[in-house]
Amino acid sequence: MAGGGAVSNQFPTNPYLYGNPVKDKYGFYGRQDIVEAVSNNLIHSRQHAFVLHGQRRIGKSSLLYRLRRDEILRQQYLPVFFDMQSFIESGFPPARVLGHMAQSIRDVLDPQLPTPTEADLSGDYNRFHRSFLPKVNHLLRSKRILLLIDEFDVVVPQTNAGPASAGELLGYFRTLMADEAVGLAFVFVVGQRYDLLGEGHRRLFKNAQSHHVGRLKRDDTRSLLVDLGRKGEISYTKKALDRILDLTNGHPYITQLLGSEIFEHLQSNATQRATARDVEACLDGAMEHGHAGLNWYWSGFESEPHLQVVLSAVADLTEDKPSASVDDINETLEQYLHFLTPSDLDEACQALRTDVFFELADKQRYRFAVQFIRQWIAEY
């Protein structure tokens, strides 16, 4: 009701979020096991470096924001979010990165705190921990700064043909992490498989505790759909929910994408309860509207086209059956004049065993972990 008893003519807002990190409590579901593991280890042990790794668009950045607002963690830490992507073009010069990091700490701690600039640090970026951090620790008293660093794997060390400044930056982070007196704790996010990280990152993370960020549990996925749907004044039949869960298998981005499309579909049809038929009617629209985000997965293999070919083959083979054998995949590839040795095919299938693409259905048989992805590949 609006003031004076008049009925509001406002339509409910689409409650589903996709494409951007979830920055506050609204829209964030699951991950409690990771939050508790990081929080408990930071508070109750001497562990002060963590690595969160997983596929793109699986919710790692949202998890960092969840850690930033965790009330238990904030009793002993001051979390500061920091994104490395903005330094890609400049090559990660330590003075620039640390200057911006100092500003981020200042903005959260005390806007009046004198902060070294890039120019101040360009002559000697070690001033960051020699002169700036002692001032920070004095203001914090018994707390510590917790740096939540997103997209850290974009920093390519010199040994991997990246700029020399990137190697220097990784070396400096090793110094910060090794010196307990610095008073910093770290949570790094990387978008690669942990075992595929370059030498510079492996050296940096050798004493860090790692956590895999995967798909949401089924109950958390169901709660996401139902709770947000209630905020948007829509609901789902049991068959509709089961169909969405089967399509997304707990992938948060795709679950939010499909929920958003279903909400708009119901609004345009002046109804509030989604059926399994409504879910099917929304698949093409969800694929179209999420194409840019979904294409991140496909384009990630542009340097390895044989993986794209294997993905396409399994997407085709599992159109009418639940899984495909290695022999089936090989036969299909050869029909289209793509020839891989048995070892190369096995290596490709193993590389594609992720939260987004393949999972092992049985010995030497593969299926898509997320059926929506399979259908998108088959469609596009």
Side-chain angles (χ1 to χ4, degrees), residues 308-319:
Q308 293 178 328
V309 172
V310 173
L311 280 171
S312 296
V314 177
D316 182 56
L317 285 164
T318 54
E319 176 72 35

Side-chain angles (χ1 to χ4, degrees), residues 145-193:
I145 291 289
L146 174 61
L147 289 173
L148 307 170
I149 306 181
D150 203 8
E151 302 287 354
F152 194 74
D153 52 325
V154 300
V155 184
V156 182
Q158 187 178 10
T159 53
N160 284 5
S165 53
E168 291 177 14
L169 184 64
L170 289 181
Y172 185 66
F173 270 104
R174 286 198 298 272
T175 299
L176 293 178
M177 291 169 63
D179 189 350
E180 181 70 21
V182 166
L184 293 177
F186 303 83
V187 179
F188 300 96
V189 153
V190 297
Q192 299 182 38
R193 271 174 38 194

Side-chain angles (χ1 to χ4, degrees), residues 317 324-334 345 364-365:
L317 285 164
S325 70
V326 172
D327 289 340
D328 292 336
I329 300 169
N330 187 57
E331 183 179 336
T332 299
L333 293 178
E334 290 183 353
L345 179 56
Q364 295 292 292
R365 296 192 69 88

